[in-house]
Amino acid sequence: MPNLYFCIPKNDAVYFDEHEVTHMKVMRIKEGEIIDATDGNGGKYKVIVKEIGKNEAHGNVLNYEFVAPTDGRLVLFAPSGRWERLRWTIEKAVELGVDEIYVFNNEHASRHYDDKQEKLELIVREASKQCVRYHFPSIRSIEFLDIFSIAPESTYILDFKGRKIPKRISKSVGIIAGPEGGFSKKEIKLLKERFKSVCLGKKILRFETAVILSTGIFAMKLGKI
Amino acid sequence: MPNLYFCIPKNDAVYFDEHEVTHMKVMRIKEGEIIDATDGNGGKYKVIVKEIGKNEAHGNVLNYEFVAPTDGRLVLFAPSGRWERLRWTIEKAVELGVDEIYVFNNEHASRHYDDKQEKLELIVREASKQCVRYHFPSIRSIEFLDIFSIAPESTYILDFKGRKIPKRISKSVGIIAGPEGGFSKKEIKLLKERFKSVCLGKKILRFETAVILSTGIFAMKLGKI
Protein backbone atom coordinates (compact mmCIF):
# COMPACT_ATOMS: atom_id res chain seq x y z
CA MET A 1 0.00 0.00 0.00
CA PRO A 2 1.40 3.42 -0.90
CA ASN A 3 1.89 5.56 2.12
CA LEU A 4 -0.88 8.05 1.75
CA TYR A 5 -2.77 8.98 4.90
CA PHE A 6 -6.17 10.57 5.38
CA CYS A 7 -6.03 13.72 7.47
CA ILE A 8 -8.48 16.26 8.84
CA PRO A 9 -7.12 19.80 8.55
CA LYS A 10 -7.65 22.10 11.54
CA ASN A 11 -6.03 25.54 11.52
CA ASP A 12 -2.35 24.99 10.62
CA ALA A 13 -2.31 21.42 11.84
CA VAL A 14 -3.80 18.17 10.60
CA TYR A 15 -5.38 15.39 12.63
CA PHE A 16 -5.50 11.68 11.96
CA ASP A 17 -8.20 9.38 13.35
CA GLU A 18 -7.83 5.91 14.82
CA HIS A 19 -7.80 4.17 11.41
CA GLU A 20 -4.85 6.29 10.30
CA VAL A 21 -3.11 5.66 13.61
CA THR A 22 -3.44 1.93 12.87
CA HIS A 23 -2.04 2.51 9.37
CA MET A 24 0.89 4.46 10.86
CA LYS A 25 1.60 1.70 13.36
CA VAL A 26 1.59 -0.91 10.58
CA MET A 27 4.03 1.24 8.61
CA ARG A 28 6.08 1.87 11.78
CA ILE A 29 5.84 5.62 11.41
CA LYS A 30 7.57 7.47 14.25
CA GLU A 31 7.03 10.96 15.58
CA GLY A 32 9.19 13.41 13.60
CA GLU A 33 8.79 11.53 10.33
CA ILE A 34 7.40 13.17 7.19
CA ILE A 35 4.40 11.55 5.49
CA ASP A 36 2.08 12.24 2.55
CA ALA A 37 -1.53 12.93 3.37
CA THR A 38 -4.78 14.04 1.78
CA ASP A 39 -8.03 15.47 3.08
CA GLY A 40 -9.92 13.65 0.31
CA ASN A 41 -11.02 17.00 -1.11
CA GLY A 42 -8.09 17.64 -3.39
CA GLY A 43 -5.60 18.60 -0.69
CA LYS A 44 -2.13 17.09 -1.00
CA TYR A 45 -0.09 17.55 2.17
CA LYS A 46 3.45 16.96 3.34
CA VAL A 47 3.11 16.52 7.05
CA ILE A 48 5.62 16.16 9.85
CA VAL A 49 4.14 13.84 12.46
CA LYS A 50 4.15 15.51 15.86
CA GLU A 51 2.37 13.07 18.12
CA ILE A 52 0.94 9.60 17.71
CA GLY A 53 -1.62 8.81 20.40
CA LYS A 54 -3.77 5.76 20.93
CA ASN A 55 -6.77 6.92 18.88
CA GLU A 56 -5.51 10.08 17.27
CA ALA A 57 -2.38 11.56 15.79
CA HIS A 58 -1.49 15.04 14.68
CA GLY A 59 1.11 16.78 12.63
CA ASN A 60 2.17 20.08 11.12
CA VAL A 61 1.79 20.91 7.46
CA LEU A 62 5.10 21.44 5.66
CA ASN A 63 3.59 21.80 2.23
CA TYR A 64 0.09 22.04 0.77
CA GLU A 65 -1.00 21.74 -2.83
CA PHE A 66 -4.49 21.64 -4.30
CA VAL A 67 -5.04 18.95 -6.91
CA ALA A 68 -7.84 20.01 -9.27
CA PRO A 69 -10.67 17.52 -9.73
CA THR A 70 -11.23 16.01 -13.16
CA ASP A 71 -14.02 17.45 -15.28
CA GLY A 72 -17.29 15.62 -15.67
CA ARG A 73 -19.27 13.47 -13.30
CA LEU A 74 -19.24 9.68 -13.26
CA VAL A 75 -21.85 8.15 -10.98
CA LEU A 76 -22.21 4.48 -10.13
CA PHE A 77 -25.42 2.97 -8.79
CA ALA A 78 -24.47 -0.34 -7.22
CA PRO A 79 -27.09 -2.75 -5.86
CA SER A 80 -27.00 -3.54 -2.18
CA GLY A 81 -26.20 -7.22 -1.88
CA ARG A 82 -23.54 -9.45 -0.44
CA TRP A 83 -20.84 -7.47 1.30
CA GLU A 84 -17.82 -9.01 -0.41
CA ARG A 85 -19.20 -8.29 -3.86
CA LEU A 86 -20.23 -4.76 -2.90
CA ARG A 87 -16.86 -4.10 -1.32
CA TRP A 88 -15.08 -5.27 -4.46
CA THR A 89 -17.35 -3.11 -6.64
CA ILE A 90 -16.64 -0.04 -4.52
CA GLU A 91 -12.88 -0.65 -4.60
CA LYS A 92 -12.83 -1.00 -8.39
CA ALA A 93 -15.12 2.02 -8.87
CA VAL A 94 -12.77 4.14 -6.76
CA GLU A 95 -9.77 2.93 -8.78
CA LEU A 96 -11.59 3.74 -12.02
CA GLY A 97 -12.22 7.31 -10.98
CA VAL A 98 -15.93 7.28 -10.19
CA ASP A 99 -17.07 10.51 -8.47
CA GLU A 100 -20.18 9.33 -6.66
CA ILE A 101 -21.30 5.90 -5.53
CA TYR A 102 -24.86 5.12 -4.48
CA VAL A 103 -25.70 1.76 -2.96
CA PHE A 104 -29.38 1.28 -3.67
CA ASN A 105 -31.91 -0.91 -1.92
CA ASN A 106 -34.15 -2.97 -4.15
CA GLU A 107 -36.87 -5.56 -3.89
CA HIS A 108 -34.57 -8.54 -4.35
CA ALA A 109 -31.83 -7.17 -2.11
CA SER A 110 -30.66 -9.53 0.60
CA ARG A 111 -28.87 -6.80 2.52
CA HIS A 112 -29.27 -3.14 3.34
CA TYR A 113 -26.52 -0.68 4.19
CA ASP A 114 -28.59 2.25 5.48
CA ASP A 115 -26.92 2.11 8.89
CA LYS A 116 -23.47 1.29 7.54
CA GLN A 117 -22.42 4.74 6.33
CA GLU A 118 -19.13 4.65 8.24
CA LYS A 119 -18.31 1.18 6.92
CA LEU A 120 -18.96 2.31 3.34
CA GLU A 121 -16.88 5.45 3.77
CA LEU A 122 -13.99 3.48 5.20
CA ILE A 123 -13.87 1.26 2.11
CA VAL A 124 -13.82 4.36 -0.08
CA ARG A 125 -11.09 5.87 2.06
CA GLU A 126 -8.88 2.77 1.99
CA ALA A 127 -9.38 2.29 -1.75
CA SER A 128 -8.67 5.97 -2.45
CA LYS A 129 -5.46 5.83 -0.43
CA GLN A 130 -4.35 2.70 -2.24
CA CYS A 131 -4.75 4.19 -5.68
CA VAL A 132 -3.59 7.64 -4.54
CA ARG A 133 -6.77 9.63 -5.19
CA TYR A 134 -6.82 13.09 -3.65
CA HIS A 135 -10.55 13.44 -4.26
CA PHE A 136 -12.43 10.70 -2.47
CA PRO A 137 -15.71 9.83 -4.17
CA SER A 138 -18.85 10.30 -2.11
CA ILE A 139 -20.80 7.22 -1.08
CA ARG A 140 -24.32 6.84 0.30
CA SER A 141 -26.99 4.21 0.72
CA ILE A 142 -30.28 5.16 -0.99
CA GLU A 143 -33.71 3.77 -1.78
CA PHE A 144 -34.45 2.48 -5.25
CA LEU A 145 -36.66 5.46 -6.12
CA ASP A 146 -33.94 7.94 -5.15
CA ILE A 147 -32.07 6.85 -8.28
CA PHE A 148 -34.51 8.92 -10.33
CA SER A 149 -33.76 12.19 -8.58
CA ILE A 150 -30.00 11.66 -8.34
CA ALA A 151 -29.12 10.15 -11.72
CA PRO A 152 -27.59 12.36 -14.42
CA GLU A 153 -29.68 12.66 -17.57
CA SER A 154 -27.28 10.32 -19.39
CA THR A 155 -27.59 7.33 -17.15
CA TYR A 156 -27.38 3.83 -18.52
CA ILE A 157 -28.68 0.52 -17.21
CA LEU A 158 -26.27 -2.39 -17.72
CA ASP A 159 -28.55 -4.81 -19.49
CA PHE A 160 -27.87 -7.81 -21.66
CA LYS A 161 -30.49 -6.55 -24.11
CA GLY A 162 -29.11 -3.03 -24.34
CA ARG A 163 -27.39 -1.17 -27.16
CA LYS A 164 -23.67 -0.63 -27.52
CA ILE A 165 -22.08 2.05 -25.37
CA PRO A 166 -22.41 5.25 -27.44
CA LYS A 167 -19.25 6.73 -28.96
CA ARG A 168 -19.98 10.22 -27.74
CA ILE A 169 -21.19 10.66 -24.22
CA SER A 170 -22.16 13.68 -22.19
CA LYS A 171 -20.05 15.17 -19.40
CA SER A 172 -22.18 13.60 -16.69
CA VAL A 173 -22.80 9.91 -16.87
CA GLY A 174 -24.50 7.42 -14.58
CA ILE A 175 -24.25 3.65 -14.63
CA ILE A 176 -26.83 1.39 -12.99
CA ALA A 177 -25.69 -2.16 -12.26
CA GLY A 178 -28.44 -4.68 -11.59
CA PRO A 179 -28.69 -6.76 -8.43
CA GLU A 180 -27.70 -10.42 -8.24
CA GLY A 181 -31.30 -11.64 -8.32
CA GLY A 182 -32.23 -9.14 -11.05
CA PHE A 183 -34.57 -6.18 -10.75
CA SER A 184 -38.25 -6.81 -10.01
CA LYS A 185 -40.64 -6.36 -12.95
CA LYS A 186 -41.91 -3.10 -11.49
CA GLU A 187 -38.37 -1.82 -10.95
CA ILE A 188 -37.13 -2.62 -14.44
CA LYS A 189 -40.25 -1.05 -15.97
CA LEU A 190 -39.64 2.21 -14.09
CA LEU A 191 -35.96 2.21 -15.01
CA LYS A 192 -36.57 1.58 -18.69
CA GLU A 193 -39.15 4.36 -18.91
CA ARG A 194 -36.45 6.81 -17.95
CA PHE A 195 -33.02 5.40 -18.85
CA LYS A 196 -31.39 3.74 -21.84
CA SER A 197 -29.82 0.32 -21.59
CA VAL A 198 -26.31 -0.53 -22.71
CA CYS A 199 -24.62 -3.87 -23.05
CA LEU A 200 -21.04 -4.87 -23.67
CA GLY A 201 -21.60 -7.53 -26.27
CA LYS A 202 -23.70 -10.52 -27.09
CA LYS A 203 -22.57 -12.64 -24.14
CA ILE A 204 -23.76 -12.32 -20.57
CA LEU A 205 -20.78 -11.37 -18.45
CA ARG A 206 -20.48 -11.90 -14.75
CA PHE A 207 -21.44 -9.02 -12.53
CA GLU A 208 -17.91 -7.98 -11.62
CA THR A 209 -16.60 -8.22 -15.19
CA ALA A 210 -19.50 -6.17 -16.57
CA VAL A 211 -19.11 -3.52 -13.88
CA ILE A 212 -15.32 -3.12 -14.37
CA LEU A 213 -15.57 -3.10 -18.12
CA SER A 214 -18.43 -0.60 -18.43
CA THR A 215 -17.18 1.68 -15.66
CA GLY A 216 -13.69 1.54 -17.18
CA ILE A 217 -14.93 2.43 -20.65
CA PHE A 218 -16.96 5.40 -19.40
CA ALA A 219 -14.05 6.46 -17.18
CA MET A 220 -11.69 6.41 -20.18
CA LYS A 221 -14.13 8.44 -22.26
CA LEU A 222 -14.48 11.01 -19.48
CA GLY A 223 -10.72 11.14 -18.83
CA LYS A 224 -11.17 9.89 -15.26
CA ILE A 225 -8.37 7.37 -15.69
CA MET B 1 -22.39 -23.10 -11.98
CA PRO B 2 -24.37 -23.93 -15.11
CA ASN B 3 -24.53 -27.64 -15.73
CA LEU B 4 -22.21 -27.99 -18.66
CA TYR B 5 -19.88 -31.00 -18.62
CA PHE B 6 -16.70 -31.67 -20.54
CA CYS B 7 -16.83 -34.90 -22.55
CA ILE B 8 -14.48 -36.87 -24.77
CA PRO B 9 -16.32 -38.24 -27.81
CA LYS B 10 -15.51 -41.84 -28.84
CA ASN B 11 -17.55 -43.43 -31.63
CA ASP B 12 -21.22 -42.85 -30.76
CA ALA B 13 -20.57 -42.50 -27.05
CA VAL B 14 -18.95 -39.84 -24.89
CA TYR B 15 -16.67 -40.32 -21.91
CA PHE B 16 -16.22 -38.15 -18.86
CA ASP B 17 -13.05 -38.09 -16.76
CA GLU B 18 -12.66 -38.03 -13.00
CA HIS B 19 -13.12 -34.24 -12.75
CA GLU B 20 -16.47 -34.49 -14.51
CA VAL B 21 -17.47 -37.42 -12.31
CA THR B 22 -16.82 -35.15 -9.31
CA HIS B 23 -18.92 -32.41 -10.92
CA MET B 24 -21.73 -34.93 -11.54
CA LYS B 25 -21.60 -36.10 -7.95
CA VAL B 26 -21.79 -32.51 -6.67
CA MET B 27 -24.82 -31.95 -8.92
CA ARG B 28 -26.29 -35.31 -7.84
CA ILE B 29 -26.61 -36.52 -11.42
CA LYS B 30 -27.96 -40.08 -11.63
CA GLU B 31 -27.63 -42.66 -14.37
CA GLY B 32 -30.41 -42.16 -16.92
CA GLU B 33 -30.42 -38.38 -16.58
CA ILE B 34 -29.89 -36.06 -19.54
CA ILE B 35 -27.08 -33.50 -19.34
CA ASP B 36 -25.48 -30.84 -21.55
CA ALA B 37 -21.89 -31.42 -22.54
CA THR B 38 -19.16 -30.03 -24.79
CA ASP B 39 -15.94 -31.40 -26.19
CA GLY B 40 -14.41 -27.92 -26.02
CA ASN B 41 -14.02 -27.88 -29.81
CA GLY B 42 -17.41 -26.46 -30.71
CA GLY B 43 -19.42 -29.61 -30.01
CA LYS B 44 -22.68 -29.12 -28.11
CA TYR B 45 -24.09 -32.42 -26.89
CA LYS B 46 -27.25 -33.66 -25.23
CA VAL B 47 -26.14 -36.79 -23.45
CA ILE B 48 -28.01 -39.49 -21.55
CA VAL B 49 -25.77 -40.67 -18.74
CA LYS B 50 -25.34 -44.45 -18.91
CA GLU B 51 -22.87 -45.25 -16.19
CA ILE B 52 -21.12 -43.26 -13.49
CA GLY B 53 -18.03 -45.05 -12.23
CA LYS B 54 -15.43 -43.98 -9.68
CA ASN B 55 -13.06 -42.26 -12.10
CA GLU B 56 -14.98 -42.25 -15.35
CA ALA B 57 -18.50 -41.94 -16.65
CA HIS B 58 -20.00 -42.48 -20.05
CA GLY B 59 -23.16 -41.70 -21.91
CA ASN B 60 -24.91 -41.84 -25.26
CA VAL B 61 -25.36 -38.84 -27.52
CA LEU B 62 -28.99 -37.83 -28.05
CA ASN B 63 -28.22 -34.71 -29.99
CA TYR B 64 -25.13 -33.05 -31.46
CA GLU B 65 -24.72 -29.55 -32.79
CA PHE B 66 -21.59 -27.75 -33.93
CA VAL B 67 -21.19 -24.21 -32.63
CA ALA B 68 -19.08 -22.19 -35.06
CA PRO B 69 -16.10 -20.39 -33.56
CA THR B 70 -16.00 -16.61 -33.64
CA ASP B 71 -13.88 -14.94 -36.30
CA GLY B 72 -10.55 -13.43 -35.44
CA ARG B 73 -7.89 -14.41 -32.96
CA LEU B 74 -7.44 -12.90 -29.52
CA VAL B 75 -4.27 -13.97 -27.76
CA LEU B 76 -3.28 -13.17 -24.19
CA PHE B 77 0.29 -13.37 -22.92
CA ALA B 78 0.09 -13.53 -19.15
CA PRO B 79 3.18 -13.44 -16.95
CA SER B 80 3.88 -16.43 -14.79
CA GLY B 81 3.65 -15.28 -11.22
CA ARG B 82 1.63 -15.98 -8.12
CA TRP B 83 -0.93 -18.71 -8.71
CA GLU B 84 -4.01 -16.89 -7.41
CA ARG B 85 -3.39 -13.91 -9.66
CA LEU B 86 -2.65 -16.12 -12.67
CA ARG B 87 -5.73 -18.22 -12.01
CA TRP B 88 -7.89 -15.13 -11.83
CA THR B 89 -6.37 -13.76 -15.07
CA ILE B 90 -7.06 -17.05 -16.87
CA GLU B 91 -10.66 -17.18 -15.62
CA LYS B 92 -11.39 -13.64 -16.77
CA ALA B 93 -9.64 -14.17 -20.12
CA VAL B 94 -11.80 -17.23 -20.75
CA GLU B 95 -14.94 -15.30 -19.86
CA LEU B 96 -13.89 -12.48 -22.20
CA GLY B 97 -13.54 -14.82 -25.15
CA VAL B 98 -9.75 -15.07 -25.52
CA ASP B 99 -8.72 -17.82 -27.99
CA GLU B 100 -5.21 -18.57 -26.82
CA ILE B 101 -3.47 -18.02 -23.50
CA TYR B 102 0.30 -18.21 -23.08
CA VAL B 103 1.82 -18.08 -19.63
CA PHE B 104 5.31 -16.78 -20.17
CA ASN B 105 8.39 -17.15 -18.02
CA ASN B 106 10.39 -14.00 -17.47
CA GLU B 107 13.42 -12.82 -15.57
CA HIS B 108 11.48 -11.45 -12.62
CA ALA B 109 9.09 -14.39 -12.42
CA SER B 110 8.77 -15.98 -9.03
CA ARG B 111 7.05 -19.10 -10.39
CA HIS B 112 7.12 -21.30 -13.45
CA TYR B 113 4.29 -23.41 -14.80
CA ASP B 114 6.18 -25.55 -17.35
CA ASP B 115 5.23 -28.76 -15.59
CA LYS B 116 1.72 -27.62 -14.71
CA GLN B 117 0.03 -28.11 -18.07
CA GLU B 118 -2.80 -30.18 -16.62
CA LYS B 119 -3.40 -27.67 -13.83
CA LEU B 120 -3.59 -24.83 -16.37
CA GLU B 121 -5.94 -26.77 -18.63
CA LEU B 122 -8.22 -27.60 -15.74
CA ILE B 123 -8.65 -23.92 -14.92
CA VAL B 124 -9.51 -23.22 -18.55
CA ARG B 125 -11.96 -26.12 -18.56
CA GLU B 126 -13.73 -25.03 -15.36
CA ALA B 127 -13.89 -21.40 -16.48
CA SER B 128 -15.19 -22.39 -19.94
CA LYS B 129 -17.92 -24.55 -18.40
CA GLN B 130 -18.94 -21.75 -16.05
CA CYS B 131 -19.40 -19.22 -18.83
CA VAL B 132 -20.74 -21.84 -21.28
CA ARG B 133 -18.02 -21.67 -23.94
CA TYR B 134 -18.10 -24.51 -26.46
CA HIS B 135 -14.64 -23.63 -27.73
CA PHE B 136 -12.12 -23.87 -24.92
CA PRO B 137 -9.15 -21.58 -25.43
CA SER B 138 -5.75 -23.24 -25.66
CA ILE B 139 -3.26 -22.65 -22.87
CA ARG B 140 0.47 -23.30 -22.68
CA SER B 141 3.49 -22.27 -20.66
CA ILE B 142 6.21 -20.71 -22.82
CA GLU B 143 9.57 -19.01 -22.53
CA PHE B 144 9.80 -15.24 -22.86
CA LEU B 145 11.42 -15.42 -26.31
CA ASP B 146 8.63 -17.67 -27.64
CA ILE B 147 6.35 -14.62 -27.51
CA PHE B 148 8.07 -13.33 -30.65
CA SER B 149 7.26 -16.36 -32.78
CA ILE B 150 3.71 -16.82 -31.48
CA ALA B 151 2.41 -13.25 -31.25
CA PRO B 152 0.12 -11.93 -33.99
CA GLU B 153 1.51 -8.94 -35.87
CA SER B 154 -0.87 -6.63 -34.03
CA THR B 155 0.24 -7.37 -30.52
CA TYR B 156 0.21 -4.70 -27.86
CA ILE B 157 2.13 -4.34 -24.62
CA LEU B 158 0.05 -2.99 -21.73
CA ASP B 159 2.23 -0.11 -20.68
CA PHE B 160 1.55 3.00 -18.69
CA LYS B 161 3.46 5.03 -21.29
CA GLY B 162 1.62 3.58 -24.28
CA ARG B 163 -0.83 5.15 -26.71
CA LYS B 164 -4.58 4.80 -26.64
CA ILE B 165 -6.05 1.54 -27.91
CA PRO B 166 -6.53 2.12 -31.67
CA LYS B 167 -10.09 2.49 -32.97
CA ARG B 168 -9.58 0.04 -35.78
CA ILE B 169 -7.76 -3.17 -35.05
CA SER B 170 -6.82 -6.15 -37.16
CA LYS B 171 -8.54 -9.54 -37.01
CA SER B 172 -5.74 -11.06 -34.95
CA VAL B 173 -4.70 -9.29 -31.81
CA GLY B 174 -2.29 -10.10 -29.02
CA ILE B 175 -2.07 -8.52 -25.58
CA ILE B 176 1.04 -8.74 -23.40
CA ALA B 177 0.52 -8.07 -19.70
CA GLY B 178 3.64 -7.30 -17.71
CA PRO B 179 4.74 -9.26 -14.65
CA GLU B 180 4.28 -8.04 -11.10
CA GLY B 181 7.92 -7.01 -10.71
CA GLY B 182 8.00 -5.46 -14.21
CA PHE B 183 9.96 -6.68 -17.21
CA SER B 184 13.76 -6.62 -17.06
CA LYS B 185 15.47 -3.87 -19.06
CA LYS B 186 16.55 -6.38 -21.68
CA GLU B 187 13.05 -7.82 -21.97
CA ILE B 188 11.29 -4.50 -22.34
CA LYS B 189 13.84 -3.39 -24.95
CA LEU B 190 13.20 -6.49 -27.05
CA LEU B 191 9.42 -6.13 -26.69
CA LYS B 192 9.40 -2.47 -27.66
CA GLU B 193 11.51 -3.11 -30.75
CA ARG B 194 8.76 -5.33 -32.07
CA PHE B 195 5.43 -4.35 -30.49
CA LYS B 196 3.47 -1.18 -29.83
CA SER B 197 2.42 -0.18 -26.36
CA VAL B 198 -1.10 0.74 -25.36
CA CYS B 199 -2.39 2.24 -22.16
CA LEU B 200 -5.86 2.76 -20.80
CA GLY B 201 -5.48 6.27 -19.52
CA LYS B 202 -3.25 8.52 -17.56
CA LYS B 203 -3.49 6.62 -14.28
CA ILE B 204 -1.69 3.42 -13.40
CA LEU B 205 -4.30 0.73 -12.86
CA ARG B 206 -3.82 -2.42 -10.89
CA PHE B 207 -2.83 -5.50 -12.82
CA GLU B 208 -6.23 -7.19 -12.72
CA THR B 209 -8.14 -4.03 -13.63
CA ALA B 210 -5.83 -3.28 -16.58
CA VAL B 211 -6.04 -6.87 -17.85
CA ILE B 212 -9.86 -7.07 -17.67
CA LEU B 213 -10.34 -3.65 -19.18
CA SER B 214 -7.94 -4.07 -22.11
CA THR B 215 -8.90 -7.66 -22.87
CA GLY B 216 -12.57 -6.69 -22.65
CA ILE B 217 -12.15 -3.75 -25.02
CA PHE B 218 -10.30 -5.86 -27.61
CA ALA B 219 -12.84 -8.68 -27.16
CA MET B 220 -15.70 -6.24 -27.81
CA LYS B 221 -13.98 -4.90 -30.92
CA LEU B 222 -13.42 -8.44 -32.22
CA GLY B 223 -16.98 -9.54 -31.37
CA LYS B 224 -15.70 -12.18 -28.94
CA ILE B 225 -18.18 -11.09 -26.29
Side-chain angles (χ1 to χ4, degrees), chain B residues 36-51:
Chain B
D36 294 311
T38 181
D39 53 17
N41 287 314
K44 187 178 170 180
Y45 299 76
K46 274 257 181 267
V47 172
I48 181 161
V49 179
K50 281 290 172 193
E51 201 187 336

Side-chain angles (χ1 to χ4, degrees), chain A residues 82-215:
Chain A
R82 279 183 297 163
W83 172 244
E84 276 313 312
R85 172 173 273 194
L86 179 64
R87 182 199 179 99
W88 189 94
T89 307
I90 294 169
E91 285 175 359
K92 285 299 163 201
V94 170
E95 186 187 353
L96 292 167
V98 162
D99 299 294
E100 298 163 36
I101 301 165
Y102 297 96
V103 180
F104 62 89
N105 292 324
N106 54 87
E107 281 190 37
H108 294 169
S110 52
R111 299 272 181 88
H112 290 256
Y113 295 93
D114 307 334
D115 56 349
K116 299 277 187 282
Q117 181 63 20
E118 208 197 345
K119 195 175 178 182
L120 295 174
E121 280 179 8
L122 262 177
I123 296 298
V124 168
R125 185 205 291 194
E126 289 309 316
S128 297
K129 283 162 63 180
Q130 280 195 15
C131 66
V132 191
R133 271 190 75 168
Y134 297 104
H135 289 270
F136 294 180
S138 62
I139 189 160
R140 191 151 62 86
S141 173
I142 60 170
E143 293 306 317
F144 174 79
L145 289 176
D146 295 332
I147 294 176
F148 296 86
S149 54
I150 295 168
E153 203 165 319
S154 295
T155 287
Y156 302 93
I157 314 161
L158 292 188
D159 179 14
F160 175 58
K161 293 172 198 152
R163 291 187 180 184
K164 281 190 177 177
I165 291 177
K167 284 199 176 142
R168 289 177 155 252
I169 56 168
S170 80
K171 279 262 171 191
S172 288
V173 172
I175 302 168
I176 303 172
E180 213 169 339
F183 286 108
S184 73
K185 276 187 187 171
K186 193 178 141 197
E187 284 169 345
I188 195 72
K189 187 171 171 283
L190 282 171
L191 287 173
K192 289 200 170 173
E193 274 169 16
R194 166 79 178 275
F195 306 114
K196 287 187 179 133
S197 299
V198 291
C199 79
L200 302 163
K202 55 197 179 216
K203 273 182 64 179
I204 298 176
L205 298 174
R206 281 197 214 164
F207 177 83
E208 62 268 24
T209 315
V211 172
I212 276 203
L213 201 49
S214 55
T215 309

